[in-house]
């Protein structure tokens, strides 16, 4: 049996609706994990084994609001760990730069020789 990653877009109007949708999905048979994604935090990403996406979508429609399946894909057993964003000499790489825009200024965390990432907790300031 293969693990599946299912993305369901749900019409979510408030945080209460979001947590209700997450509870519904998390309690479904075969679901191992649930995450919220999307610009409007309206996509439920669930990973599980033997999950019926159509049935789950119907349940969400009845109890939460309009819902539809964005995608269903198989998850390979050996998942590679996500690489952290590159950090160069205490400067975190900012937004992606596009050739048609001027270069992005880097986001500088380390100032005044302080080793703490937050400028507010720096003892020198």
């Amino acid at each position: 049996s293969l693990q599946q990653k299912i993305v369901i877009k749900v019409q979510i109007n408030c945080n209460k609706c979001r947590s209700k949708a997450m509870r519904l999905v998390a309690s479904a048979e075969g679901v191992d994990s649930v995450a919220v994604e999307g610009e409007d935090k309206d996509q439920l990403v669930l990973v599980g084994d033997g999950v019926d996406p159509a049935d789950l979508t119907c349940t969400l429609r009845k109890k939460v609001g309009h819902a539809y399946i964005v995608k269903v894909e198989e998850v390979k057993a050996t998942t590679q760990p996500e690489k952290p964003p590159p950090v160069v000499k205490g400067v975190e790489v900012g937004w992606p730069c596009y050739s048609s825009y001027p270069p992005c200024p880097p986001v500088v965390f380390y100032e005044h020789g302080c080793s703490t990432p937050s400028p507010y907790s720096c003892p020198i300031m």
Side-chain angles (χ1 to χ4, degrees):
S1 56
L2 292 161
Q3 286 254 309
Q4 287 180 310
K5 179 181 174 184
I6 303 160
V7 182
I8 301 174
K9 191 169 174 87
V10 189
Q11 185 180 343
I12 295 173
N13 302 322
C14 62
N15 283 331
K16 195 175 174 185
C17 301
R18 185 178 295 115
S19 51
K20 182 179 180 180
M22 295 228 3
R23 271 199 313 275
L24 277 168
V25 171
S27 66
E29 198 176 316
V31 175
D32 294 331
S33 69
V34 186
V36 179
E37 279 181 12
E39 223 172 280
D40 300 319
K41 303 245 180 270
D42 59 355
Q43 292 185 8
L44 297 176
V45 181
L46 45 134
V47 177
D49 188 0
V51 182
D52 184 345
D55 186 47
L56 207 49
T57 307
C58 286
T59 306
L60 284 166
R61 278 185 196 143
K62 280 180 202 162
K63 300 193 175 178
V64 181
H66 181 69
Y68 63 91
I69 299 165
V70 177
K71 68 177 173 183
V72 177
E73 60 187 22
E74 285 177 7
V75 180
K76 291 170 185 68
T78 53
T79 53
Q80 300 228 329
E82 284 184 36
K83 291 178 185 160
V87 176
V88 186
K89 291 182 189 167
V91 177
E92 187 162 342
V93 178
W95 298 98
C97 295
Y98 301 101
S99 56
S100 59
Y101 295 108
C104 303
V107 180
V108 180
F109 282 126
Y110 303 114
E111 290 181 35
H112 312 294
C114 181
S115 61
T116 52
S118 168
Y120 304 109
S121 62
C122 185
I124 298 168
M125 287 174 75

